[in-house]
Each structure stands twice: as C-alpha cells, then as structure tokens.
C-alpha cells in the first residue's frame, strides 16, 4: 500500500512499516471479512484512512478497506471535491 501523504519530518512509507499500523490494518481486514467495503473484491486490498485526525491512534471506525480500484476512485473523488 502506498500513499503520497507526507507529514513534516515523517514519510508515509515508514508509517506503513510500523508494528502499530500492521496490527490495526490486520484487525480491520479481519473485521470486514477481507473484502473491499464498496465492491466486495478480495484482491489488492488497501486499508484507507477516512481521516488522519487519529493518526497513530486509529480506531477501526477511522479506516475503510478498499480494493485498489475503489481506493483510486476514492482518491479521485476527494481530489475533485477540493477543486
């Protein structure tokens, strides 16, 4: 899973390697049956942050499991909403 998000002094790629993230990601995947929450796909799953407000302290409700295609659509819709 990759993301272009950059926090001052912190690279997103590092966050994705933390034990904390790996654990909460696994819990979320299991909680939703390891399926995309939008289309039901079981392939190329990403765990998407609905908000970065609780970064490092996420609850399962802060996250959404999306397949690669749905994640790309979500990012595009957020981008379009900002323009």
């Amino acid at each position: 899973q990759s993301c272009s998000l950059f926090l001052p002094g912190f690279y997103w790629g590092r966050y994705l390697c933390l034990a904390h993230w790996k654990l909460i990601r696994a819990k979320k995947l299991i909680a939703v049956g390891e399926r995309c929450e939008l289309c039901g796909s079981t392939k190329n799953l990403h765990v998407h942050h609905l908000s970065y407000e609780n970064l490092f302290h996420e609850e399962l409700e802060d996250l959404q499991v999306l397949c690669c295609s749905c994640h790309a659509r979500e990012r595009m819709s957020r981008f379009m909403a900002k323009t």
Side-chain angles (χ1 to χ4, degrees):
Q1 186 175 9
S2 64
C3 184
S4 60
L5 178 70
F6 174 79
L7 302 174
F10 186 81
Y11 288 97
W12 190 247
R14 282 186 177 169
Y15 183 74
L16 299 178
C17 294
L18 295 175
H20 156 76
W21 173 248
K22 289 178 180 182
L23 179 62
I24 194 76
R25 181 182 187 281
K27 285 181 179 180
K28 183 63 178 185
L29 285 166
I30 291 167
V32 301
E34 298 187 1
R35 294 187 170 278
C36 175
E37 293 184 69
L38 296 181
C39 74
S41 175
T42 59
K43 302 204 189 270
N44 299 313
L45 298 176
H46 297 190
V47 178
H48 170 69
H49 283 80
L50 295 170
S51 160
Y52 296 101
E53 187 175 319
N54 296 322
L55 194 62
F56 295 97
H57 305 285
E58 298 94 343
E59 297 290 333
L60 294 183
E61 298 79 30
D62 297 327
L63 306 169
Q64 183 179 35
V65 175
L66 300 173
C67 68
C68 187
S69 297
C70 288
H71 198 190
R73 280 192 293 278
E74 172 62 24
R75 284 186 177 175
M76 182 56 75
S77 67
R78 281 188 181 199
F79 174 76
M80 296 303 286
K82 291 181 182 180
T83 59

